[in-house]
Amino acid sequence: MSTTGTLLTLSRLPQLPLLSRSDEPDAPASPPIRRISSQRLLAGERELVIQHMGSEYHLRLTRNGKLILTK
């Protein structure tokens, strides 16, 4: 099959309008996501306990500077 034949076939496809989020009638505007630095959360410590729905979660800073969240 030649390239020209392929292009002719594709050009015959119906053109569909492109939708963006603003075009969607029922899409609620999402609020901006809050951001906080890990340094501010940990305040110089290596571990933080987060209480959530009756459970405790531990946010730990590893020696390699990565964060681990465990229950």
Side-chain angles (χ1 to χ4, degrees), residues 17-56:
L18 298 176
L19 295 177
S20 67
R21 283 197 178 268
S22 61
D23 294 335
E24 296 176 15
D26 296 331
S30 57
I33 297 173
R34 290 181 51 211
R35 295 186 188 277
I36 187 167
S37 72
S38 59
Q39 288 100 356
R40 188 169 175 193
L41 271 176
L42 293 169
E45 302 294 326
R46 300 201 63 85
E47 185 172 354
L48 168 71
V49 177
I50 302 169
Q51 294 179 335
H52 177 68
M53 297 179 65
S55 296
E56 287 190 348

